Amino acid sequence: MRTQEGAFVVEGTHAVRDLLTRSPEQILTIVTAHGYLPKEAESDRLARQVASIQQYSCSDIQFSKLSDLDAPQGVLAVVRQPIWDEEEILEQPTLLGVFGEQLQDPANVGAIIRTAAALNVSALWLTPESADVYHPKVVRATSGVLHRLPIFFMRDVSELIRQGCRIFTAEVPGEGTIPIDEIRTVPRKFVFAVGNESRGLSAQIRTQATTRFTIPLSREVESLNVAATVAIATFHFSRLPKSQ
């Protein structure tokens, strides 16, 4: 239904406030519960009133049926799914991208989107088997930044390579891998790939990588959560100089 309608639901006071402030043109409808209105902050009420947006109010019981939360806050927005130009992004002279292969945990996907948006990643690519980026759990985990990060779907990294991107892969230590802190420069256009929460990256993607890196860990810890891996790697790579 989300795909057919080209829309998704954003719930909660903070998330709706952020949309009204930053992207009011993306909001199709706002729904409030009767019990929310007396508690609504004056600034939020004024922001809703001045917005040229279709709005409805319903009983708390009706709202609870619309909500995906166990304890609804009483306000939600139906929002347009953003549309991005993938060709335009791939034509940029510099690019830092993230590729996720079969990332199936909505909380992880949401956290990755939030991190990537915060650290100015150019775009996120996901394989079709990954979690729906407009799933309510993903939307909540993004904390309202879905409209700030271009997201595309791609089966593998072959097209990225054809577009001039170098591929880095995040892996467990093994033959051919290097610690991330030994990487001192990065290409002008590159994408680093992370794999499925339990299986990691496929051999196909690992063999297409120009750099295979690991994140050094304590001996007592076997691996990192994939969202933590993306956060550490993005922060590290975004601060490195570009190679000539």
Side-chain angles (χ1 to χ4, degrees), residues 95-100 111-124 149 168-170 180 183 186 190-194 213-215 224-242:
L95 184 149
L96 165 56
V98 178
F99 181 91
I112 288 169
I113 292 170
R114 184 178 183 182
T115 296
L119 295 177
N120 296 313
V121 164
S122 305
L124 168 67
L149 178 71
F168 288 18
T169 50
I180 191 171
I183 302 173
V186 291
F190 78 105
V191 175
F192 74 86
V194 293
F213 69 90
T214 64
I215 296 175
L224 282 175
N225 171 280
V226 66
T229 297
V230 170
I232 293 169
T234 304
F235 181 76
H236 178 73
F237 293 142
S238 65
R239 295 163 64 88
L240 294 180
K242 305 289 190 297

Side-chain angles (χ1 to χ4, degrees), residues 89-103:
I89 289 169
L90 288 170
E91 288 177 350
Q92 294 174 357
T94 61
L95 184 149
L96 165 56
V98 178
F99 181 91
E101 184 182 38
Q102 297 185 16
L103 302 183

Side-chain angles (χ1 to χ4, degrees), residues 145-187:
V145 301
L146 264 173
H147 282 89
R148 302 181 209 169
L149 178 71
I151 302 173
F152 306 103
F153 293 91
M154 189 175 284
R155 290 212 165 271
D156 57 42
V157 296
S158 301
E159 181 59 28
L160 296 173
I161 294 172
R162 282 193 289 271
Q163 294 291 334
C165 297
R166 307 287 288 277
I167 304 300
F168 288 18
T169 50
E171 303 182 32
V172 297
E175 185 178 354
T177 64
I178 61 171
I180 191 171
D181 50 3
E182 291 185 12
I183 302 173
R184 305 295 171 81
T185 63
V186 291

Side-chain angles (χ1 to χ4, degrees), residues 13-213:
T13 304
H14 174 77
V16 174
R17 179 190 301 137
D18 189 62
L19 279 168
L20 283 167
T21 302
R22 298 175 182 271
S23 307
E25 72 285 353
Q26 299 299 329
I27 303 175
L28 297 171
T29 304
I30 291 177
V31 181
T32 55
H34 293 334
Y36 166 79
L37 298 175
K39 301 179 291 185
E40 184 178 27
E42 181 69 12
S43 58
D44 292 340
R45 183 179 63 80
L46 289 173
R48 281 198 305 106
Q49 288 179 342
V50 300
S52 299
I53 298 167
Q54 194 173 44
Q55 301 190 41
Y56 300 95
S57 186
C58 62
S59 70
D60 291 9
I61 292 176
Q62 289 174 314
F63 190 92
S64 67
K65 295 178 180 178
L66 298 175
S67 174
D68 186 65
L69 301 176
D70 293 332
Q73 294 183 22
V75 60
L76 63 79
V78 181
V79 187
R80 291 185 182 90
Q81 294 181 10
I83 299 174
W84 302 94
D85 187 333
E86 186 175 21
E87 182 177 349
E88 179 181 332
I89 289 169
L90 288 170
E91 288 177 350
Q92 294 174 357
T94 61
L95 184 149
L96 165 56
V98 178
F99 181 91
E101 184 182 38
Q102 297 185 16
L103 302 183
Q104 296 172 342
D105 185 330
N108 280 337
V109 172
I112 288 169
I113 292 170
R114 184 178 183 182
T115 296
L119 295 177
N120 296 313
V121 164
S122 305
L124 168 67
W125 284 269
L126 296 169
T127 57
E129 305 86 359
S130 296
D132 178 2
V133 297
Y134 300 112
H135 186 286
K137 290 183 180 179
V138 176
V139 175
R140 285 199 298 274
T142 65
S143 293
V145 301
L146 264 173
H147 282 89
R148 302 181 209 169
L149 178 71
I151 302 173
F152 306 103
F153 293 91
M154 189 175 284
R155 290 212 165 271
D156 57 42
V157 296
S158 301
E159 181 59 28
L160 296 173
I161 294 172
R162 282 193 289 271
Q163 294 291 334
C165 297
R166 307 287 288 277
I167 304 300
F168 288 18
T169 50
E171 303 182 32
V172 297
E175 185 178 354
T177 64
I178 61 171
I180 191 171
D181 50 3
E182 291 185 12
I183 302 173
R184 305 295 171 81
T185 63
V186 291
R188 291 193 172 275
K189 295 177 66 171
F190 78 105
V191 175
F192 74 86
V194 293
N196 176 269
E197 290 87 349
S198 59
R199 298 186 299 274
L201 283 165
S202 65
Q204 177 188 5
I205 290 180
R206 294 199 308 271
T207 57
Q208 292 177 292
T210 55
T211 301
R212 300 166 57 205
F213 69 90

